[in-house]
Amino acid sequence: MPINPSSMRVVDVARLLNSTDYGFVLSQGQLYRDFNRAGCRIAATDNPRNINLLKYIAHLCDELHAPAVTAGARSYDERREAERARQAEQSVSGRDIGALPDVANGERKAAGEKNFRFFCESYFPEVFHLSWSPDHLKAIGKIETAVLQGGLFALAMPRGSGKSTLAEAACLWAMLYGHREFVTLIGATESAALEMLDSIKTELEVNELLEQDFPEVIYPIKALEGIANRCAGQLYKGERTRISWTSGEIVLPTIAGSRASGAVVRVSGITGRIRGMKFKKQDGRTIRPSLVIIDDPQTSESAGSLEQTRKRVRVLAGDILGLSGPGEKISGIMPCTIIRPGDMAEQILSKEKYPEWNGERTQMLYELPKNTKLWEEYAEIRAESLRTEGNIQAATDFYAAHREAMDTGALVAWEERFNHDEISAVQHAMNLNLQDEVAFWSKYQNEPLPENLGSEEQLSIDLVIHKLNGRKTHEIPVGCNHLTMFIDIQKVLLFYTVCAWEDDFTGYVVDYGAYPDQRRRYFSLADATPMLQSTFPRAGLEGAIYSGLEALTSQYLAMEFRRDDGAAMKISKCLIDANWGASTEVVYQFCRQSPFAGIVIPSHGRYIGASSKPMSEYKKTAGDRVGHNWRIPNVAGRCGVRHVVFDANYWKTFIHARFMVSMGDRGCLSLWGREPERHLLFAEHMTSEYRVRTEGRGRSVDEWKLRPESNDNHWFDGIVGCAVAGSMSGAVLPGTDTPWSAPRAKIRLSELQKKKVEKKSEKLR
């Protein structure tokens, strides 16, 4: 049969070589081993599974004439070192990112270096696809100046105008072109700042236009393939890039010739750790933040708190603007929204208070439409269309038919801003106004409406913190005969208040606080540290509350308070809130077992509105004790512990009135000390609720409601409870109860018996 020596099967080669006069010279196994060792060098061209016999013979000749290895077998250490060197070489070759791609469009890249608007339009066309408004162009110019030349810029724009997106683009622009080496992102909370950083990361990872023109930055980032653990080992031409890609920080790769080499972005919440930010670069220099971007630095809660607003303004003026270090000025951009009158954003935007921030306040509508009649008709059509059809098509048709008349007088900031079911920016703005007027003026007009808290006069923080009597804490005036305490129970804290009262209900707040002690002036229930559970780690919820009550009452109910005349006073009554669901049975158990059982009393505040039956009309049963809008019912079937029930609405109004009384008048309630700032948090609790006058059943009642922005009202409840305890102790506000009369003289038992005998003698006569 014909043989093709350039392409033979392994079995055919073995048979052929063993068919000579030399007999058996080569096994199939040896031939396979030679084939595996030589590989493609002896394989057939047409079929890699076959052997080229001529190449195989040449291979055997090379092996035969190869110089013999004279060295003996390698030792274990030599083999281990050789393997280490091989693996190290493979590791280095795998970690090195190789040559960088060329810049795709150098002209575009150069044009965006000093032109922030061009940078936004060229590299983020999907984000900035609408035409710019005059307000946008003004903001772009301010941002450009702040980044290139320095300065501070605060910007209040309508919600959804892209102010945060502009700030993110400014961060990328400043880093990619090397305008700023260290950028810090500050949010209202750290999670908000992290969201901003994640957005910047996404742009660096997926933006193809940035990848084309900034390969020195984007290519090393893409080489990570989303695996942050590769950062430490990444190499470029054998040198570490020192890239960092963590949840709270980005360090751009160190590449020779790159203007963005080693640029840093770091995030923080405005109330977090801000001071002392710095970064050590590869060349040994220590850099500090030179650009700070503060995105919406307040929350709805902080905007409604005077103390939180002051704290954030202080952080901004001290900690943030001092980040650049001594002798250096930091640049800052602050996009913000005014939430409430007098909040942090409104203060910073004020050119009278903070002219260095160059505040700009823009609006969605600079002038409202004048034809209110047509817009009222539009509102009715819109509401009916939403109820019946679920859309506003009928209202849009009406607007289209009367657009010229309805737009008269309107001056809109951004003509391009309207939804798919609307036909103009004016219609869009008026729809937002109809949807929620309060939100429209706050979020879109940056002119929040004054809060409507009813027609009744409301207590203010300033009024409370300035009701100071100049006394020291725990110091009791000589006219006080009653000392009361109230403990408000929450899941993680006990809030307590101690008040001294004169007989005419002139009151003095002598102490208040929380247990466990928070060791700071400002805190809330939500961020309490330490908590009851951490103070008593082996106890459950009820056990921690019980232990907390035990520790707090042992401290205060055994304490002697010194009166001005030298007399020692102790707390005569301590009410404990038993309304909080999980604590009710614990409170009753504690009051029954406490060594101060004669002083501590469980209490229940009842919401008695205008339509409810007033407490004065409650039927009195045997064993009940009734006072001024409070009563102690019979304890039959109630754990054997007497408790007090009081009208919460009435006593809140009562405390409100006491704070409104001028210093020196009868019935005035005041705080110790001379520093108003000391009582800011207490004042926030006092003003956490507002009253609304309601009528029903032929009477008018103040009903108290929690303000939307408030969370903590516990010391307010404490003052109310102290007043109830004061009334139980005998304090009476003139005109609110039965006129006070002098106590009757004591009568001896022998005198009573004598009078009884005399009466019997008279009857017998």
Side-chain angles (χ1 to χ4, degrees):
M1 69 184 282
I3 296 175
N4 181 8
S6 62
S7 180
M8 298 180 64
R9 294 185 304 165
V10 173
V11 63
D12 293 337
V13 172
R15 287 174 181 171
L16 178 62
L17 296 179
N18 291 328
S19 300
T20 65
D21 295 338
Y22 292 100
F24 179 81
V25 294
L26 185 67
S27 67
Q28 268 188 349
Q30 181 62 42
L31 186 54
Y32 273 114
R33 285 193 290 275
D34 290 344
F35 196 1
N36 289 334
R37 190 178 298 111
C40 293
R41 288 178 293 171
I42 65 173
T45 305
D46 60 343
N47 189 350
R49 294 185 178 181
N50 292 347
I51 293 178
N52 187 319
L53 181 58
L54 301 178
K55 290 182 179 180
Y56 180 49
I57 294 171
H59 169 72
L60 293 176
C61 291
D62 290 340
E63 290 287 323
L64 179 64
H65 297 292
V69 179
T70 56
R74 291 185 299 173
S75 66
Y76 170 75
D77 290 339
E78 290 173 335
R79 292 198 304 273
R80 186 177 65 178
E81 179 61 24
E83 180 64 18
R84 186 202 63 76
R86 185 184 66 81
Q87 291 182 359
E89 184 180 355
Q90 288 181 347
S91 176
V92 169
S93 63
R95 289 157 48 198
D96 199 301
I97 61 176
L100 298 176
D102 294 330
V103 175
N105 192 333
E107 293 182 1
R108 178 175 60 187
K109 182 177 181 180
E113 181 177 0
K114 303 292 184 181
N115 191 328
F116 180 50
R117 176 182 176 180
F118 181 85
F119 176 80
C120 293
E121 293 173 347
S122 299
Y123 294 102
F124 307 97
E126 294 182 358
V127 177
F128 303 108
H129 59 279
L130 297 176
S131 300
W132 301 106
S133 70
D135 290 337
H136 282 124
L137 298 179
K138 186 187 298 184
I140 286 172
K142 295 273 190 176
I143 292 173
E144 193 174 282
T145 301
V147 173
L148 296 179
Q149 302 174 20
L152 304 174
F153 175 47
L155 171 67
M157 294 183 74
R159 186 73 73 186
S161 294
K163 58 183 183 296
S164 295
T165 307
L166 278 172
E168 292 172 10
C171 177
L172 287 168
W173 182 58
M175 291 191 305
L176 293 175
Y177 284 105
H179 298 315
R180 300 286 170 173
E181 282 188 296
F182 196 152
V183 180
T184 301
L185 303 177
I186 306 290
T189 61
E190 187 167 351
S191 60
L194 289 173
E195 289 179 8
M196 199 173 180
L197 185 66
D198 287 340
S199 177
I200 291 173
K201 283 182 176 180
T202 301
E203 289 293 346
L204 291 173
E205 287 181 318
V206 305
N207 191 310
E208 296 180 356
L209 295 171
L210 292 178
E211 181 183 5
Q212 293 172 10
D213 289 357
F214 297 90
E216 69 277 12
V217 175
I218 308 302
Y219 186 73
I221 292 174
K222 290 233 172 186
L224 296 175
E225 297 180 340
I227 304 173
N229 290 340
R230 292 181 178 177
C231 290
Q234 189 182 81
L235 304 174
Y236 173 65
K237 294 184 178 180
E239 297 290 334
R240 286 182 58 195
T241 61
R242 300 184 182 274
I243 188 174
S244 178
W245 197 262
T246 66
S247 61
E249 180 185 73
I250 298 174
V251 180
L252 297 185
T254 301
I255 303 290
S258 169
R259 284 179 289 182
S261 181
V264 182
V265 187
R266 193 174 291 174
V267 302
S268 175
I270 194 169
T271 57
R273 184 183 178 276
I274 295 177
R275 296 181 182 178
M277 283 192 182
K278 59 183 179 179
F279 182 78
K280 180 77 76 173
K281 297 204 72 172
Q282 185 179 9
D283 56 8
R285 291 185 302 118
T286 298
I287 61 172
R288 294 179 179 274
S290 57
L291 174 66
V292 59
I293 297 176
I294 310 155
D295 184 44
D296 272 336
Q298 60 181 357
T299 62
S300 296
E301 179 185 351
S302 70
S305 166
L306 180 62
E307 172 61 16
Q308 288 197 51
T309 296
R310 290 182 180 180
K311 180 180 178 181
R312 289 173 188 242
V313 171
R314 287 196 300 267
V315 169
L316 179 62
D319 296 353
I320 295 177
L321 297 186
L323 282 172
S324 57
E328 299 290 337
K329 289 188 70 174
I330 197 169
S331 297
I333 303 168
M334 189 175 81
C336 59
T337 299
I338 301 173
I339 300 176
R340 288 183 178 83
D343 64 10
M344 178 188 181
E346 188 169 59
Q347 291 187 40
I348 298 301
L349 289 166
S350 172
K351 294 185 178 181
E352 287 75 26
K353 286 186 177 180
Y354 298 95
E356 65 275 11
W357 274 99
N358 299 295
E360 288 287 343
R361 186 189 310 212
T362 64
Q363 298 179 327
M364 178 175 282
L365 277 178
Y366 285 103
E367 296 289 343
L368 293 174
K370 293 182 178 179
N371 198 328
T372 55
K373 261 190 179 179
L374 284 175
W375 281 108
E376 288 172 1
E377 189 175 350
Y378 172 89
E380 294 176 3
I381 296 172
R382 176 180 178 273
E384 182 63 26
S385 180
L386 286 171
R387 283 191 292 266
T388 58
E389 305 295 333
N391 56 53
I392 62 168
Q393 187 57 49
T396 301
D397 294 340
F398 176 83
Y399 173 72
H402 304 84
R403 179 174 179 178
E404 185 176 352
M406 294 177 74
D407 284 357
T408 302
L411 179 59
V412 68
W414 191 11
E415 295 284 356
E416 298 288 333
R417 181 171 183 175
F418 55 90
N419 296 330
H420 67 280
D421 56 351
E422 299 163 337
I423 58 177
S424 80
V426 175
Q427 183 192 8
H428 176 67
M430 295 304 290
N431 281 338
L432 291 173
N433 188 23
L434 293 171
Q435 183 176 318
D436 189 334
E437 185 180 14
V438 174
F440 173 74
W441 284 96
S442 172
K443 297 181 179 180
Y444 301 99
Q445 293 293 92
N446 283 303
E447 286 186 1
L449 299 174
E451 293 180 346
N452 181 15
L453 301 179
S455 59
E456 299 300 317
E457 186 178 8
Q458 306 293 337
L459 204 59
S460 69
I461 288 178
D462 284 339
L463 189 150
V464 174
I465 63 176
H466 287 96
K467 289 294 293 290
L468 304 179
N469 52 43
R471 295 182 174 274
K472 296 179 181 178
T473 180
H474 293 183
E475 190 175 275
I476 312 297
V478 68
C480 294
N481 296 317
H482 315 287
L483 191 59
T484 61
M485 182 177 181
F486 185 87
I487 302 175
D488 185 67
I489 295 180
Q490 299 299 318
K491 182 177 181 180
V492 297
L493 284 180
L494 304 179
F495 290 86
Y496 63 89
T497 313
V498 181
C499 292
W501 306 98
E502 297 183 12
D503 289 332
D504 60 2
F505 248 124
T506 300
Y508 304 86
V509 179
V510 297
D511 197 7
Y512 60 83
Y515 183 87
D517 185 11
Q518 298 300 290
R519 300 186 294 274
R520 49 193 166 129
R521 280 194 178 183
Y522 191 88
F523 64 91
S524 65
L525 185 65
D527 64 5
T529 305
M531 302 182 290
L532 288 171
Q533 287 72 21
S534 59
T535 305
F536 306 102
R538 296 186 178 181
L541 175 61
E542 292 83 0
I545 292 174
Y546 190 98
S547 299
L549 287 172
E550 197 170 42
L552 185 58
T553 54
S554 297
Q555 177 184 353
Y556 274 86
L557 300 187
M559 183 187 300
E560 287 190 350
F561 295 77
R562 192 62 56 183
R563 203 165 64 177
D564 285 349
D565 59 358
M569 294 185 66
K570 287 189 175 182
I571 293 172
S572 58
K573 278 194 172 38
C574 175
L575 304 189
I576 302 178
D577 172 33
N579 271 355
W580 192 67
S583 70
T584 302
E585 296 303 325
V586 178
V587 170
Y588 276 87
Q589 180 186 358
F590 174 78
C591 291
R592 184 172 59 250
Q593 299 175 351
S594 171
F596 305 100
I599 301 174
V600 294
I601 306 173
S603 67
H604 298 271
R606 294 285 184 257
Y607 182 90
I608 300 178
S611 59
S612 306
K613 184 179 181 180
M615 193 165 280
S616 59
E617 295 180 9
Y618 284 14
K619 183 179 180 181
K620 183 178 180 181
T621 59
D624 287 358
R625 181 186 171 194
V626 179
H628 186 57
N629 286 288
W630 58 266
R631 62 192 294 122
I632 301 178
N634 196 332
V635 297
R638 186 63 182 180
C639 305
V641 178
R642 303 203 77 176
H643 61 278
V644 60
V645 180
F646 60 90
D647 182 346
N649 277 328
Y650 171 83
W651 284 102
K652 286 179 179 180
T653 301
F654 181 87
I655 290 298
H656 180 279
R658 304 285 67 73
F659 272 113
M660 301 295 289
V661 174
S662 300
M663 292 292 293
D665 287 345
R666 287 193 307 172
C668 168
L669 183 59
S670 59
L671 305 171
W672 82 88
R674 299 181 184 276
E675 301 177 14
E677 292 78 11
R678 171 66 179 80
H679 301 287
L680 272 172
L681 182 58
F682 180 83
E684 288 187 13
H685 282 236
M686 292 301 105
T687 58
S688 60
E689 298 185 26
Y690 66 97
R691 60 176 176 170
V692 178
R693 180 60 60 89
T694 57
E695 295 185 359
R697 296 172 59 94
R699 66 193 190 107
S700 296
V701 172
D702 287 338
E703 295 185 354
W704 288 83
K705 303 177 184 296
L706 191 67
R707 294 176 189 262
E709 72 277 7
S710 300
N711 293 316
D712 294 343
N713 63 344
H714 315 298
W715 284 326
F716 185 30
D717 292 340
I719 291 287
V720 168
C722 283
V724 174
S727 177
M728 294 169 62
S729 299
V732 177
L733 183 69
T736 62
D737 206 348
T738 305
W740 182 84
S741 58
R744 291 181 298 175
K746 294 181 180 179
I747 302 176
R748 294 179 179 275
L749 179 61
S750 58
E751 293 178 357
L752 289 174
Q753 290 175 341
K754 184 178 178 180
K755 288 182 179 180
K756 189 175 181 181
V757 171
E758 290 176 353
K759 285 182 179 180
K760 285 184 178 180
S761 300
E762 289 178 359
K763 287 181 179 180
L764 291 174
R765 289 175 186 174

